Amino acid sequence: MRTMFIAISYLLFSNAILLGVSGDGPCGNTSIFSLAWGLTSCVDAAKNPSAKPPRSCCTKTADIFSKTSAGCICSIFLSPLAKQVGIKPAVAITIPKRCGLKKRPVGYKCGRKNTTL
């Protein structure tokens, strides 16, 4: 687990340097990188549809929804950064539902293949 955390940290940091961290995008003034960093506890749940998302993952996901739009969470889960870590976008998009978040945009379609939240 520690090795996975170090690998994820490296990937996130290297992408921040390569892609920059300006936040003029779907997450407002907050960069996708910084939000993705907060979702590291979601990695296992974002790879395995049977895995129960940990409380820390659900709390951070709810926090993102309260401060941004559904487009932001889609951008995080569909980003090249998420792909590098091995996240399966179609699985990751189900995390808000699996967390039981009541304030999620039900039926919202994310970009690729119209994946539904």
Side-chain angles (χ1 to χ4, degrees):
M1 189 62 146
R2 180 179 160 92
T3 304
M4 180 184 282
F5 180 76
I6 291 169
I8 291 169
S9 299
Y10 172 77
L11 288 171
L12 292 172
F13 180 73
S14 64
N15 275 303
I17 291 171
L18 294 173
L19 302 174
V21 290
S22 68
D24 296 336
C27 299
N29 291 327
T30 306
S31 71
I32 291 173
F33 164 76
S34 66
L35 292 172
W37 179 254
L39 292 172
T40 55
S41 62
C42 297
V43 171
D44 289 337
K47 293 179 177 181
N48 179 356
S50 300
K52 180 172 172 51
R55 180 177 288 167
S56 58
C57 170
C58 294
T59 300
K60 188 61 181 176
T61 302
D63 185 53
I64 290 171
F65 272 124
S66 72
K67 295 177 181 173
T68 65
S69 68
C72 177
I73 202 85
C74 289
S75 294
I76 294 167
F77 290 149
L78 297 173
S79 71
L81 176 62
K83 189 175 183 179
Q84 279 184 317
V85 177
I87 288 173
K88 297 176 182 172
V91 175
I93 296 299
T94 67
I95 288 174
K97 183 176 182 178
R98 289 188 285 151
C99 285
L101 300 181
K102 297 192 185 324
K103 293 193 175 192
R104 72 181 197 283
V106 176
Y108 182 87
K109 303 283 185 187
C110 290
R112 297 182 198 152
K113 298 181 183 176
N114 287 329
T115 306
T116 304
L117 281 174

